[in-house]
């Protein structure tokens, strides 16, 4: 799609990518009320507890009258300024704005003991990084800073993915897959305190590095190995299901790489170091999960008591649509459902990418893509079908995303590798995807702001995100303006990466005028030495 980018342009693209993704996440961080993200108070408590010394608080249980069995979690000692009841008064009530919540404490620094379910037993790495502001400034200011740290972590992985696509793997159509994989739900989670956000964005970086490594030719690029290793370790140590996400990616990609490519990887020292690092990280994370009993689930009422057959029918008829929508964006406490037309935009973009990959790819490509999709949905389906009787149906699209993003990246890689489109069409397609998907990010944020500032589903629905009975402490205009600036930066990044002034990539197809040109063995198949685009 593009020729080799100059160092100056590549640096500008990377800076724009980081600023853009960070600013979009910061918009969410500013806009959301306390505990406005999915299960956010549980993650806030865990983060404040970790930086306060409760690194591995022993598993404990609390009896709750409304729940049939004791609630699994841990006790954490945290400042009173971040110890708030949860779920909040507006959770699961989309008509209720956030003005009902009281978040100020008279003694914000006073240590209190707080029980937290779910996240209280999670791996401590994410919380150790984002939790410090909650300890130093326990209140709304500390929460905002912690959210911004979380947004910066996610932005760093996404910017690294953009850089690797353009500088190392040189598969620039992967930008289209990256745009589609970075759904509004991923940005929402990155802008609140929730380990799932970092898990998703690190997984995008991991897949972006792994696919060219396994599907490429010649010795593995050391820089891609480093990105793959850092991303895989991060995914493995962010949530209990992280090791499974990493293992599925490695098994599917390595298992379908073919004997010659596997031989190349096995003989490479860097690949051995990466494999050993990822294996040890996954193993240690699994040990943590088992020791802390982190897979003990919090039961939910929906679907509770259903047998396997009835649960399967419900999943097929109703839940599948919920999974797909909540991968794109069902924000907050899963009570901010966007209008159907909003999801149609992302479905259309994803459909274009997948159908083009299926049409252009060979049988192995199609099997590989189908395996990634099946693996992504396997665990949530198992949770909802096999576990409904005991735990209810709790799977959501955001749990699917760390593996599902691999399908978008893989589909884009297949298109790039098979080159079914002229370079001008590929540039144009990526640009038009950005034209539709980037504004959709802002629409999702604005709609969520309307939900928290006005409430939804009034006889005459509110549509203005700049006013309301509740408003963010920095003001709604600050939240929207920050996100809009980030999206403009991402648009500029896409334009710089796809601009025709970078030149087209020389063709290596049989019979072309470039047949005799040298190709570096360590480069991607379409890269021709240092010959400029023609």
């Amino acid at each position: 799609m593009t020729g080799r980018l100059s160092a100056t342009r590549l640096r500008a693209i990377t800076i724009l990518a980081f600023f853009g993704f960070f600013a979009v996440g910061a918009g969410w961080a500013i806009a959301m009320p306390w505990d406005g993200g999915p299960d956010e108070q549980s993650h806030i408590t865990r983060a404040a507890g970790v930086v306060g010394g409760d690194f591995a608080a022993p598993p404990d249980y609390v009896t709750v009258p409304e729940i049939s069995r004791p609630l699994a979690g841990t006790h954490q000692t945290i400042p009173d300024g971040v110890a708030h009841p949860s779920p909040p008064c507006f959770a699961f009530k989309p008509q209720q704005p956030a003005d009902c919540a009281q978040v100020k404490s008279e003694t914000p620094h006073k240590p209190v003991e707080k029980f937290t379910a779910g996240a209280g037993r999670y791996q401590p790495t994410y919380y150790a990084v984002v939790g410090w502001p909650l300890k130093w400034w326990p209140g709304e200011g500390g929460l905002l800073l912690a959210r911004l740290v979380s947004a910066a972590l996610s932005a760093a992985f996404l910017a690294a993915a953009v850089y690797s696509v353009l500088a190392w793997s040189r598969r620039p159509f992967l930008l289209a897959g990256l745009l589609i994989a970075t759904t509004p739900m991923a940005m929402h989670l990155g802008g609140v305190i929730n380990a799932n956000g970092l898990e998703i964005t690190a997984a995008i970086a991991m897949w972006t590095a792994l696919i060219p490594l396994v599907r490429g030719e010649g010795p593995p690029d050391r820089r891609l190995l480093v990105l793959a290793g850092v991303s895989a370790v991060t995914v493995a140590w962010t949530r209990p299901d992280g090791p499974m996400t990493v293992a599925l990616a490695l098994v599917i990609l390595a298992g379908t790489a073919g004997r010659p490519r596997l031989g190349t990887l096995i003989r490479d020292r860097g690949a051995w170091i990466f494999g050993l690092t990822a294996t040890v990280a996954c193993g240690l994370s699994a040990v943590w999960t088992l020791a802390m009993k982190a897979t003990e689930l919090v039961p939910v009422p929906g679907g509770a008591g259903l047998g396997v057959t009835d649960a399967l029918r419900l999943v097929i008829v109703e839940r599948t649509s919920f999974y797909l929508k909540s991968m794109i964006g069902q924000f907050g406490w899963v009570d901010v459902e966007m209008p159907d037309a909003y999801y149609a935009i992302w479905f259309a973009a994803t459909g274009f990418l997948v159908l083009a990959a299926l049409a252009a790819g060979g049988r192995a490509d199609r099997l590989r893509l189908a395996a990634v999709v099946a693996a992504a949905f396997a665990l949530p389906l198992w949770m909802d079908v096999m576990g409904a009787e005991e735990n209810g149906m709790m799977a959501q699209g955001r749990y699917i995303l760390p593996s599902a993003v691999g399908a978008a990246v893989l589909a884009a890689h297949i298109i790039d590798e098979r080159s079914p489109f002229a370079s001008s069409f590929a540039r144009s397609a990526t640009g038009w995807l950005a034209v539709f998907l980037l504004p959709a990010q802002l629409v999702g944020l604005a709609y969520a702001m309307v939900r928290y500032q006005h409430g939804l589903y009034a006889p005459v629905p509110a549509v203005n995100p700049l006013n309301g009975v509740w408003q963010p402490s920095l003001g709604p205009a600050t939240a929207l303006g920050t996100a809009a600036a980030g999206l403009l930066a991402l648009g500029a990044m896409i334009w710089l990466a796809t601009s025709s002034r970078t030149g087209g990539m020389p063709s290596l197809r049989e019979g072309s005028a470039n047949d005799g040109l040298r190709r570096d063995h360590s480069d991607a198949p379409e890269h021709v030495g240092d010959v400029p685009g023609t």
Side-chain angles (χ1 to χ4, degrees):
M1 185 170 64
T2 64
R4 193 169 187 174
L5 298 172
S6 69
T8 301
R9 178 172 285 213
L10 187 58
R11 190 179 304 113
I13 288 171
T14 307
I15 292 171
L16 286 169
F18 176 79
F19 171 77
F21 287 121
F22 171 69
V24 175
W28 281 102
I30 296 167
M32 293 297 97
W34 193 287
D35 206 5
D39 304 319
E40 190 177 21
Q41 180 60 51
S42 177
H43 296 273
I44 291 170
T45 302
R46 177 61 172 149
V50 167
V51 298
D54 286 338
F55 188 80
D60 205 350
Y61 302 87
V62 167
T63 301
V64 179
E66 297 83 6
I67 297 179
S68 59
R69 67 173 188 268
L71 199 60
T74 60
H75 284 91
Q76 312 262 300
T77 300
I78 62 174
D80 186 56
V82 298
H84 298 289
S86 185
C89 56
F90 51 78
F92 312 119
K93 304 171 185 175
Q95 301 91 340
Q96 172 64 58
D99 63 328
C100 63
Q102 302 295 323
V103 298
K104 290 187 178 180
S105 169
E106 297 296 328
T107 56
H109 291 275
K110 177 184 176 182
V112 296
E113 189 177 86
K114 182 80 171 179
F115 180 84
T116 180
R121 300 181 180 184
Y122 282 7
Q123 285 78 350
T125 41
Y126 166 79
Y127 305 102
V129 177
V130 305
W132 290 101
L134 299 170
K135 179 181 180 180
W136 293 334
W137 301 283
E140 289 192 68
L143 177 61
L144 177 58
L145 287 174
R147 285 174 170 177
L148 292 176
V149 173
S150 181
L153 287 173
S154 289
F157 277 102
L158 293 173
V162 170
Y163 187 90
S164 74
V165 161
L166 298 174
W168 304 334
S169 68
R170 301 191 189 115
R171 297 278 188 187
F173 199 72
L174 284 176
L175 278 178
L178 197 151
L179 274 178
I180 292 172
T182 310
T183 65
M185 193 67 194
M187 297 309 301
H188 169 53
L189 290 164
V192 298
I193 304 302
N194 193 309
N196 198 191
L198 180 60
E199 181 188 26
I200 294 166
T201 51
I204 291 173
M206 179 186 72
W207 284 100
T208 303
L210 277 179
I211 290 172
L213 277 171
V214 177
R215 298 297 305 149
E217 295 179 358
D221 190 300
R222 294 291 185 269
R223 299 160 298 184
L224 283 174
L225 284 169
V226 170
L227 177 59
V230 172
S231 303
V233 170
T234 302
V235 172
W237 268 91
T238 302
R239 293 181 72 248
D241 62 345
M244 184 176 295
T245 300
V246 175
L248 286 173
L250 292 176
V251 168
I252 292 172
L253 292 177
T256 58
R259 188 172 298 177
R261 186 58 181 168
L262 273 181
T264 300
L265 294 172
I266 289 172
R267 290 189 296 271
D268 186 83
R269 184 177 174 221
W272 270 99
I273 294 173
F274 160 73
L276 182 62
T277 301
T279 301
V280 170
C282 289
L284 292 176
S285 181
V287 169
W288 174 281
T289 297
L290 293 174
M292 294 295 292
K293 302 178 181 179
T295 55
E296 289 189 335
L297 303 175
V298 178
V300 298
L306 289 178
V308 172
T309 302
D310 290 339
L312 180 60
R313 288 159 57 188
L314 186 61
V315 164
I316 293 172
V317 176
E318 295 183 10
R319 296 282 293 178
T320 300
S321 175
F322 167 71
Y323 300 149
L324 296 174
K325 287 183 176 181
S326 56
M327 289 167 68
I328 297 167
Q330 223 165 303
F331 311 116
W333 289 78
V334 204
D335 57 7
V336 188
E337 183 175 357
M338 301 295 293
D340 288 343
Y342 183 83
Y343 300 108
I345 296 171
W346 230 273
F347 291 156
T350 306
F352 159 73
L353 194 69
V354 172
L355 287 175
L358 292 174
R363 180 181 299 178
D365 293 321
R366 298 177 188 125
L367 289 175
R368 193 176 296 113
L369 187 58
V372 173
V373 173
F377 281 86
L379 180 59
L381 288 173
W382 177 269
M383 290 171 60
D384 274 2
V385 174
M386 305 304 296
E389 187 169 6
E390 182 179 358
N391 298 309
M393 293 185 168
M394 60 182 63
Q396 300 176 30
R398 62 188 179 95
Y399 303 144
I400 301 171
L401 276 175
S403 294
V405 295
V409 176
L410 178 58
H413 182 275
I414 293 170
I415 294 170
D416 224 340
E417 186 176 50
R418 300 293 181 175
S419 300
F421 305 132
S423 62
S424 59
F425 178 88
R427 288 195 304 270
S428 180
T430 303
W432 279 108
L433 283 172
V435 165
F436 285 97
L437 297 184
L438 293 183
Q441 294 274 3
L442 191 64
V443 171
L445 172 61
Y447 194 83
M449 291 172 66
V450 169
R451 179 261 179 270
Y452 286 115
Q453 294 170 205
H454 298 275
L456 298 178
Y457 309 132
V460 179
V463 295
N464 187 358
L466 296 177
N467 59 28
V469 296
W470 176 87
Q471 293 189 21
S473 58
L474 296 184
T478 305
L480 280 175
T482 301
L487 292 169
L488 287 174
L490 292 177
M493 179 268 290
I494 294 294
W495 180 82
L496 282 175
T498 61
S499 172
S500 60
R501 288 185 299 172
T502 61
M505 194 66 86
S507 172
L508 286 176
R509 289 175 181 167
E510 184 177 359
S512 77
N514 297 310
D515 281 349
L517 296 177
R518 176 181 64 85
R519 186 170 72 199
D520 292 343
H521 291 297
S522 61
D523 286 343
E526 78 276 30
H527 179 61
V528 185
D530 296 318
V531 178
T534 56

